Amino acid sequence: MNDLLKISEEVQDALDHHLPIVALESTIISHGMPYPKNLETALNCEKIIREKGAVPATIAIIKGKICVGLNSEELAYLAKNAQDVVKTSRRDIASVCAKGLTGATTVSSTMFIASLAGIKIFATGGIGGVHRNAEVSMDISADLEELAQTNVAVICAGAKAILDLAKTLEYLETKGVPVIGYQTDTLPAFYTRTSPYKVDYQMDSPKEIAKMLKIKWDLGLNGGALITNPIPEVFSLDEKLMNKAIDQALEEAKEQHIGGKAITPYLLSRIKDLTKGESLASNIQLVYHNCELASLIAKAYNDLNEI
Ligand code: PSU
Ligand code: MN
């Protein structure tokens, strides 16, 4: 195991000294955003987390090694060479390692690896979920099963309307995953602050969220939690405009028979083009916002465990 898992010096030091740590995924870098904005975003996420008093741990598989904490060359490689980087969810981890490949981790594999390293808090943009038309395609993201079993809290801006939000919430309920709204009682839908759906509980402080997480895991209620953080008002996008872009992207994906693991990256990229880049700018800002909240939760969670 030791020669498979490579923890950076900074992250190892944080683990040794019980400092707050925030995990970050890398699929968002390689397959979620275009270069060079992806690299800029990845570096800024780490900067924001440090400014908020936590330690960032970006996760990826580099040449077959599971890396927790990346250096700037590794981040740049992931950002520039998407075509050579495998989108790695839970099922891909062992094969990518065995073949010595480089893989960008999704929410599912990032959660798994964070947990392996002893990290409990993870910030990202949006999670995968139950796709629209899943009753026919059976396309349900591995992110949901990971949330069902791995003890990591995922701070996100809700799920995108490319998914079936109602079915995604039902799935999370079945699997016993708490869905918390940070200072809201409504499920945010990524680009917009609201959706027609309610979260299970509204929580208004990082401390309250940390307390819930500690109680959950102390009780042995295994699995993750979804902490949804609405995009800041100034960066939120018009719902009608977004839905139009999403519907068109879905239609095009269908015409081109795009499916499997390629569908989410395809939709993200088409939506960006159809909104002339506006969705990308919002996407970046909501990720920063989630990094801030995740840092505060990581600190509050640490404080509880120091007592
Ligand atoms: N949603 C986004 N941006 C992303 C992803 C989802 O708004 O970058 C990525 C995440 O890494 C997520 C993955 O875990 O896509 C889900 O892919 P799939 O739908 O194939 O499970
Ligand atoms: Mn899928």
Side-chain angles (χ1 to χ4, degrees):
M1 240 273 292
N2 274 350
D3 50 316
L4 255 185
L5 185 64
K6 205 178 123 223
I7 299 182
S8 74
E9 231 171 86
E10 185 190 18
V11 174
Q12 188 60 56
D13 180 73
L15 286 166
D16 292 344
H17 295 94
H18 305 285
L19 303 179
I21 305 175
V22 175
L24 295 163
E25 62 155 304
S26 45
T27 290
I28 191 173
I29 305 174
S30 296
H31 308 292
M33 290 182 191
Y35 180 79
K37 284 283 176 197
N38 55 356
L39 181 56
E40 190 188 306
T41 305
L43 293 168
N44 281 335
C45 283
E46 297 204 341
K47 186 163 161 258
I48 289 167
I49 291 167
R50 287 194 185 96
E51 280 168 5
K52 290 283 164 197
V55 174
T58 306
I59 291 175
I61 301 178
I62 309 283
K63 295 191 184 126
K65 299 271 181 259
I66 297 174
C67 296
V68 180
L70 302 181
N71 60 36
S72 48
E73 289 83 59
E74 289 164 336
L75 287 172
Y77 182 86
L78 291 170
K80 286 182 192 163
N81 299 282
Q83 70 288 349
D84 300 324
V85 177
V86 183
K87 180 181 164 192
T88 305
S89 80
R90 165 181 265 263
R91 72 165 179 180
D92 305 288
I93 297 173
S95 305
V96 169
C97 288
K99 284 181 170 290
L101 298 174
T102 291
T105 52
T106 63
V107 169
S108 69
S109 51
T110 305
M111 283 180 77
F112 175 80
I113 295 165
S115 173
L116 207 62
I119 302 170
K120 297 271 182 221
I121 311 293
F122 163 23
T124 188
I127 59 156
V130 180
H131 281 257
R132 295 196 200 173
N133 206 33
E135 63 276 23
V136 175
S137 68
M138 286 205 27
D139 190 350
I140 298 172
S141 175
D143 295 353
L144 299 184
E145 282 298 313
E146 205 62 45
L147 279 160
Q149 60 181 313
T150 300
N151 296 358
V152 170
V154 181
I155 290 78
C156 69
K160 278 203 179 76
I162 57 173
L163 302 169
D164 186 323
L165 298 185
K167 287 195 183 77
T168 301
L169 285 176
E170 289 296 342
Y171 201 100
L172 290 167
E173 183 193 2
T174 301
K175 295 290 178 173
V177 179
V179 179
I180 307 301
Y182 181 62
Q183 298 180 345
T184 181
D185 65 354
T186 303
L187 180 76
F190 202 87
Y191 301 117
T192 54
R193 290 177 59 82
T194 59
S195 72
Y197 310 100
K198 294 278 176 224
V199 292
D200 301 334
Y201 297 94
Q202 170 169 344
M203 293 193 181
D204 293 334
S205 70
K207 197 172 170 187
E208 190 180 14
I209 294 169
K211 190 172 167 193
M212 180 279 291
L213 293 172
K214 181 163 165 54
I215 292 171
K216 182 180 192 295
W217 293 325
D218 280 355
L219 285 172
L221 282 165
N222 285 330
L226 199 64
I227 315 298
T228 64
N229 186 28
I231 183 172
E233 187 84 58
V234 281
F235 300 114
S236 69
L237 296 177
D238 181 68
E239 199 176 334
K240 283 207 187 83
L241 199 88
M242 283 321 296
N243 284 341
K244 209 173 140 227
I246 288 168
D247 287 344
Q248 186 176 334
L250 283 164
E251 195 53 44
E252 290 176 10
K254 202 167 140 196
E255 276 163 18
Q256 295 180 45
H257 305 289
I258 293 166
K261 69 198 270 187
I263 185 93
T264 300
Y266 175 85
L267 293 174
L268 296 179
S269 149
R270 277 307 285 150
I271 291 165
K272 174 188 68 75
D273 292 344
L274 291 168
T275 59
K276 300 187 181 62
E278 215 186 322
S279 68
L280 178 61
S282 291
N283 194 343
I284 292 170
Q285 292 300 327
L286 66 81
V287 175
Y288 294 161
H289 192 54
N290 296 340
C291 286
E292 283 180 23
L293 177 59
S295 305
L296 300 180
I297 296 172
K299 279 163 69 177
Y301 184 78
N302 258 33
D303 290 346
L304 287 179
N305 284 287
E306 293 294 295
I307 298 166

